Amino acid sequence: MRRNIFISFILIAALLLGGCSFGGDLSAMLTPPAMSVGQEALTGAIRAAIGESYELVYPQAGPYRTGIISVDLTGDERNEAVCFYRALSKGAKLRFLVMENQGESWSVLARGESEASSVGRVAFGDIDGRGAAELIVGWQYLTEADGSFDIYTLEDGSAVSCHTGLYSRFVVLEGNPGALVVISRNAESRAVTASLIGKQQGGIGVVNTVAMNDRAVDYLAVEAGRIKGDLPAVFVDEQLEGGQSATEVLVINEQGRLANELINQVNMSTLRYTAVTCRDVNHDERAEVPTEVMLPSYMRNGVSENQYLIQWNSYDGQQLEPVSQAFINVTENFSLSFTKEWEGKITIERPADRDRAYQFKSLKGELLFTVQVYGLAEYSEELGRQGWRKLYTDSDRVYTVYCEEENSFGITYTQIYGLFDAIS
């Protein structure tokens, strides 16, 4: 009680000292912000269109996770609103509305419904090339691990499904027209395939289908992008049986068909123990593909160990071409890039007496520098006076480095600062 009185006193004093008067100003500070006029108009129009009590339904995965999604579907540079909901009446179906923005008011552009139990993911793209985006909805059912998807066009107040199929993941490739790449697994044979769905004579259909790695049990990332040569692609990072990772790159080739050239190489080239995903490491607006380089083995507490480097590679649809290397530790969440001068000349070992330390050595055994990760409570300024320089601090860890004086590679603290990166 005393604490509440004290807080109230401080608040009033601050208002007086700041020149604020009582009344409207104080009321505004203590009242939660109201909806904007546009939001009120939209929610009012949705309530009127549904006509009964309802709850919003949120997509479970993908870039769109809200019950009401704002997106330009018609190409008029004015966003429509897509609303997924379920009425609270018993046995009500999962439904959605597409609301059209008419300036100061909203009206129903289209309606749709499904027998599904939930919305898995949502995407948008101009698949048929007519200048308006289709609505792509992945539906989930209680009895199935994978779901089904529908591609909807908006016609005469209704959302009309023009193509449907099964999916594990899907992603839209932008273009004129765009395309949809769908990954699915056959429930009986367990075979995994990827299908390119795009503009066909008479509408939207399957252009072609390619095989994928059937050892994948989950997907770390499925991202649209482009490869060397500016061809559209989907980068698929997957978790395999046994815990290893691999990458497949689905490319729309110059003939407009989907290709998966890495399928024949995946067990050799992209198989890795480090669960990293494709990313743009050289800032060329194209993702690089990770492969793994095993460093020389060493003995630690009587057991042979190996550390690994990640080799980042550009991809042209046929071959992987090395770009750079880095040591990436997904347990401690940090990356240390290797310079060209280090490649093939520096290895990494964990010392026997420390669990969170990584020693960087020459192949001849010379200790060059050590990266040590401390918990917040473990680190002290005394370590700094001993030569352990902070690289980065987050809510759990302090990353430090100690450079050996006059090491033969001339590695400095400043150089390590430039090569180190904390990863999320």
Side-chain angles (χ1 to χ4, degrees):
M1 181 66 179
R2 290 180 179 178
R3 184 173 181 272
N4 292 338
I5 294 172
F6 177 73
I7 291 173
S8 300
F9 173 77
I10 292 297
L11 176 60
I12 294 170
L15 291 170
L16 291 173
L17 292 173
C20 295
S21 60
F22 286 66
D25 291 338
L26 179 58
S27 161
M29 289 185 67
L30 300 180
T31 302
M35 283 187 178
S36 68
V37 174
Q39 289 174 314
E40 287 184 339
L42 173 58
T43 54
I46 290 173
R47 283 196 298 268
I50 295 173
E52 57 182 314
S53 297
Y54 67 94
E55 61 181 2
L56 293 177
V57 176
Y58 297 79
Q60 298 174 349
Y64 301 99
R65 300 287 189 95
T66 58
I68 301 176
I69 300 168
S70 178
V71 61
D72 182 8
L73 290 171
T74 59
D76 61 358
E77 299 184 354
R78 179 179 289 179
N79 280 7
E80 283 67 50
V82 180
C83 169
F84 294 92
Y85 70 95
R86 180 181 280 107
L88 296 181
S89 54
K90 185 177 180 179
K93 290 183 178 181
L94 183 53
R95 291 185 167 91
F96 63 91
L97 292 172
V98 181
M99 305 295 293
E100 185 176 19
N101 188 343
Q102 296 181 326
E104 296 182 357
S105 62
W106 295 79
S107 63
V108 176
L109 181 61
R111 299 173 183 264
E113 65 180 32
S114 172
E115 299 289 344
S117 58
S118 61
V119 181
R121 60 178 58 234
V122 178
F124 306 92
D126 183 9
I127 309 301
D128 61 11
R130 297 189 303 172
E134 280 73 49
L135 165 62
I136 303 137
V137 184
W139 304 106
Q140 295 295 135
Y141 299 84
L142 291 175
T143 58
E144 299 178 15
D146 292 344
S148 66
F149 71 94
D150 285 279
I151 302 176
Y152 293 98
T153 58
L154 310 182
E155 301 175 8
D156 301 324
S158 297
V160 179
S161 176
C162 58
H163 187 86
T164 188
L166 301 178
Y167 84 99
S168 298
R169 296 289 291 271
F170 60 72
V171 63
V172 171
L173 293 173
E174 295 182 358
N176 187 21
L180 182 71
V181 173
V182 179
I183 300 171
S184 61
R185 183 185 296 271
N186 185 292
E188 295 182 0
S189 68
R190 307 304 295 167
V192 182
T193 58
S195 297
L196 176 64
I197 298 171
K199 182 179 180 180
Q200 297 282 74
Q201 288 186 348
I204 294 173
V206 177
V207 178
N208 73 304
T209 297
V210 297
M212 292 191 68
N213 188 358
D214 59 9
R215 290 180 57 209
V217 295
D218 197 7
Y219 296 102
L220 302 173
V222 180
E223 300 289 343
R226 290 184 176 270
I227 63 167
K228 190 176 180 180
D230 210 34
L231 294 174
V234 178
F235 297 84
V236 183
D237 293 300
E238 52 206 19
Q239 193 81 44
L240 305 182
E241 299 166 348
Q244 291 177 295
S245 303
T247 297
E248 298 179 78
V249 184
L250 306 168
V251 179
I252 300 182
N253 60 27
E254 294 177 351
Q255 290 73 44
R257 296 176 66 81
L258 194 65
N260 183 14
E261 295 297 332
L262 280 181
I263 183 67
N264 298 320
Q265 309 172 34
V266 69
N267 291 331
M268 296 283 293
S269 59
T270 69
L271 190 66
R272 56 191 183 273
Y273 290 96
T274 311
V276 296
T277 59
C278 298
R279 66 188 69 174
D280 181 8
V281 298
N282 60 354
H283 309 294
D284 64 351
E285 298 184 353
R286 290 168 177 79
E288 276 69 51
V289 178
T291 57
E292 205 163 50
V293 178
M294 185 171 68
L295 294 173
S297 61
Y298 60 94
M299 297 299 294
R300 183 173 186 265
N301 295 324
V303 179
S304 179
E305 284 191 358
N306 294 90
Q307 299 298 317
Y308 296 86
L309 294 180
I310 289 298
Q311 172 86 50
W312 294 107
N313 307 272
S314 65
Y315 184 59
D316 63 3
Q318 298 289 330
Q319 300 294 328
L320 294 169
E321 181 179 345
V323 172
S324 63
Q325 292 183 348
F327 175 62
I328 299 180
N329 189 297
V330 294
T331 301
E332 298 291 1
N333 293 332
F334 76 88
S335 168
L336 190 79
S337 298
F338 266 44
T339 68
K340 290 295 183 183
E341 293 74 23
W342 295 5
E343 293 179 10
K345 299 177 182 178
I346 291 181
T347 188
I348 305 167
E349 299 179 3
R350 295 171 62 210
D353 59 342
R354 285 176 286 170
D355 288 332
R356 306 179 77 183
Y358 302 87
Q359 295 179 332
F360 291 72
K361 298 180 176 182
S362 72
L363 293 183
K364 296 180 180 180
E366 177 193 359
L367 180 59
L368 305 171
F369 66 94
T370 303
V371 172
Q372 172 77 56
V373 183
Y374 291 99
L376 293 180
E378 296 174 314
Y379 183 80
S380 68
E381 295 304 323
E382 177 61 28
L383 291 169
R385 289 189 287 270
Q386 294 172 8
W388 291 94
R389 306 285 181 84
K390 288 184 182 181
L391 290 168
Y392 184 77
T393 302
D394 62 18
S395 59
D396 299 313
R397 308 173 180 91
V398 179
Y399 299 89
T400 67
V401 63
Y402 183 93
C403 289
E404 301 295 328
E405 293 184 6
E406 299 180 357
N407 63 79
S408 62
F409 280 72
I411 297 170
T412 65
Y413 287 104
T414 301
Q415 184 179 18
I416 302 302
Y417 291 147
L419 299 172
F420 178 88
D421 187 27
I423 57 177
S424 57

